[in-house]
Amino acid sequence: EEAIASYDQALKFKPDLHEAWYNRGIALGKLGRNEEAIASYDQALKFKPDLHEAWYNRGIALGKLERFEKAIASYDQALKLKPDYHQAWYGKACCYALQGNIQQALENLQKAINLNPDEWREWAKTDSDFDSIRGDERFQALIQ
């Protein structure tokens, strides 16, 4: 709450400060205030449309609201700007798994693992987003 108040103060002086909008979105997201977080990321992107981290975090917030198609679109925007952004590939994999789209989930998870094998293999092993496909042989092969 204090961080958000500080960002709000900064924005009074400089309303186009994309960093303040972005960090405000992160703070709101940590509080579970995802709608407000998305609005802050949108403001950051209005002033700096190539901020791939804002597109990525916007995708996370949308995913938490189960707006998976919009989340995937945000991840795609992040990947247009930074194609090797493994976090966005993983986020897309989670969204697809939660939608029951196994093939897309596996393809995106494979891309994330190719870019950062140690981190994403370990995450995927216990991430509840993959519970619906955990028994799939192809998933098991990916996380080994």
Side-chain angles (χ1 to χ4, degrees):
E1 293 290 344
E2 289 177 47
I4 295 164
S6 292
Y7 296 129
D8 288 344
Q9 277 300 116
L11 290 164
K12 284 181 186 173
F13 296 104
K14 191 161 173 34
D16 63 347
L17 187 64
H18 73 272
E19 296 96 341
W21 285 113
Y22 172 71
N23 288 317
R24 184 178 186 273
I26 290 173
L28 287 161
K30 288 183 188 261
L31 293 173
R33 292 163 55 183
N34 293 302
E35 292 285 357
E36 293 172 84
I38 293 164
S40 283
Y41 295 133
D42 286 346
Q43 285 297 314
L45 291 164
K46 185 167 90 174
F47 300 114
K48 187 160 175 55
D50 63 345
L51 187 63
H52 68 274
E53 298 97 334
W55 285 111
Y56 168 72
N57 282 297
R58 185 177 186 275
I60 291 173
L62 286 160
K64 287 180 180 174
L65 294 170
E66 297 184 7
R67 294 192 214 147
F68 300 122
E69 290 303 320
K70 288 185 177 192
I72 290 165
S74 281
Y75 291 134
D76 283 340
Q77 286 293 88
L79 290 165
K80 272 188 202 170
L81 298 164
K82 189 169 171 47
D84 63 345
Y85 200 51
H86 53 90
Q87 297 93 324
W89 291 111
Y90 187 86
K92 284 180 64 175
C94 291
C95 287
Y96 283 123
L98 290 165
Q99 288 179 311
N101 188 334
I102 297 171
Q103 188 58 41
Q104 288 286 348
L106 295 170
E107 287 174 17
N108 283 277
L109 181 58
Q110 179 70 66
K111 289 177 182 173
I113 289 172
N114 287 348
L115 292 164
N116 192 337
D118 296 335
E119 182 175 0
W120 298 123
R121 268 199 186 99
E122 284 308 306
W123 272 82
K125 286 178 184 177
T126 58
D127 191 332
S128 63
D129 289 353
F130 296 112
D131 285 352
S132 66
I133 65 170
R134 195 162 306 288
D136 189 288
E137 292 173 7
R138 298 166 297 171
F139 178 80
Q140 286 299 318
L142 270 179
I143 62 172
Q144 295 310 315

